[in-house]
Amino acid sequence: MEIADFLGLLHPAIAVIFVFPLIGTVVNFAWQTRQRRLQNLNAGKSKIPPVVGKEHKQLGDWLTSAVVGLTLVGLAYPIGKNIIKQELWNKANFQVIFILLMFVATIASLVLLYQAKQPLWRGVFATLTGAGLVILGCQDGVYRLTSEWYWSHYYIGITAALLMIFSLAIVQDIYKSHRWRIIHTILNCVALLLFIGQGLTGTRDLLQIPLSWQESYVYQCDYVNKTCLKPNTPAPK
Ligand code: HEM
Ligand code: HEM
């Protein structure tokens, strides 16, 4: 396998090996946290240990980094491929420096979001992290599938990542008010559906992307009429 194809597998592999199991664990603790709270409210004492809330929060912190990191890896691959293919470094080195700085700034904003205590700064760094992802997503090379946005791996993925960043930004509010707890639960049930969408659209995209040595043949196919050149037919000039 060529190095370019191998690098293309990094993002799906991290998703399958690390991020999806983490989602399962976070959701399991979320379910128990809710059950424990409701049982304590209705039937007195719950048998579920109090530590489940803390575990959910700690692994939730990890999940936000994991999803943002995975999104950055998913974006870095097509953006990097486009830079190399178009030889952008020679033609528009300002653009390349801007893209590199955006990756650094997005990661730095996320790190600062973990450190920030005041609501204002949490809002600022959450917005900057989200904006970083969106700006990187707008770069050339990213397969956005805007015409069919409702099953685009890009749009679903960015929305899920933004919801994780939002969860991290409102952590303190979840403890303080019941309304925020409900908002968090509803939004992250949506996030869960989006993660399932990522599993579906990601595996579909993997099936559609050809290996490097096949690209020049496969991309000659007529995608609208779903036909390809017959073997031994001379390629169009
Ligand atoms: C798919 C992802 C997630 C789902 C489905 C989810 C769902 C939930 C649910 C159902 C609860 C319990 C609400 C109740 O008591 O009724 C909860 C609590 C909480 N969640 Fe999440 N959550 C997710 C991710 C996150 C993330 C990423 C963070 C933080 C970065 C987070 C932070 C919290 C906190 C701090 C609580 C309160 C815990 C406690 O009461 O001790 N959650 N979440
Ligand atoms: C939390 C889950 C995931 C998130 C947030 C996520 C996010 C992203 C983003 C933002 C991109 C770049 C935009 C694009 O090219 O579509 C991307 C690309 C991609 N992802 Fe995911 N992804 C996730 C899970 C998966 C899974 C489970 C698979 C497959 C098993 C997968 C396979 C791919 C593929 C094949 C690409 C295309 C790379 C290219 O453009 O050549 N992703 N992902």
Side-chain angles (χ1 to χ4, degrees), residues 80-99:
K81 205 171 173 184
N82 183 60
I83 291 177
I84 294 169
K85 261 194 181 162
Q86 307 288 329
E87 294 184 11
L88 274 191
W89 184 249
N90 297 324
K91 289 186 216 152
N93 50 19
F94 173 76
Q95 196 180 338
V96 179
I97 293 170
F98 171 77
I99 290 171

Side-chain angles (χ1 to χ4, degrees), residues 123-143:
V124 168
F125 292 126
T127 310
L128 287 176
T129 314
L133 290 185
V134 173
I135 293 169
L136 285 170
C138 293
Q139 301 306 311
D140 292 341
V142 179
Y143 178 58

Side-chain angles (χ1 to χ4, degrees), residues 166-181:
F166 186 70
S167 291
L168 184 59
I170 62 156
V171 157
Q172 289 158 0
D173 305 282
I174 301 174
Y175 289 115
K176 279 189 210 144
S177 109
H178 188 65
R179 181 175 296 170
W180 279 110
R181 190 175 277 271

Side-chain angles (χ1 to χ4, degrees), residues 9 24 28-29 36 45 84 105 113 115 118 217:
L9 288 182
N28 182 31
F29 279 124
R36 180 174 190 278
K45 196 106 182 78
I84 294 169
L113 174 57
Q115 314 291 329
Q118 290 167 352
Y217 304 97

Side-chain angles (χ1 to χ4, degrees), residues 32-48 178 181-182:
Q32 296 198 55
T33 306
R34 183 172 167 80
Q35 288 307 306
R36 180 174 190 278
R37 190 176 60 76
L38 294 180
Q39 285 168 9
N40 278 342
L41 270 181
N42 298 329
K45 196 106 182 78
S46 166
K47 290 205 177 84
I48 301 171
H178 188 65
R181 190 175 277 271
I182 302 284

Side-chain angles (χ1 to χ4, degrees), residues 26-27 30 33-34 37 53-54 56-57 60-61 63-64 164 167-168 171 174-175 181 184-185 188-189 195:
V26 168
V27 172
T33 306
R34 183 172 167 80
R37 190 176 60 76
K54 198 167 156 243
H56 172 69
K57 148 79 175 71
D61 280 349
L63 183 61
T64 305
M164 291 300 106
S167 291
L168 184 59
V171 157
I174 301 174
Y175 289 115
R181 190 175 277 271
H184 171 75
T185 304
N188 281 357
C189 285
F195 285 134

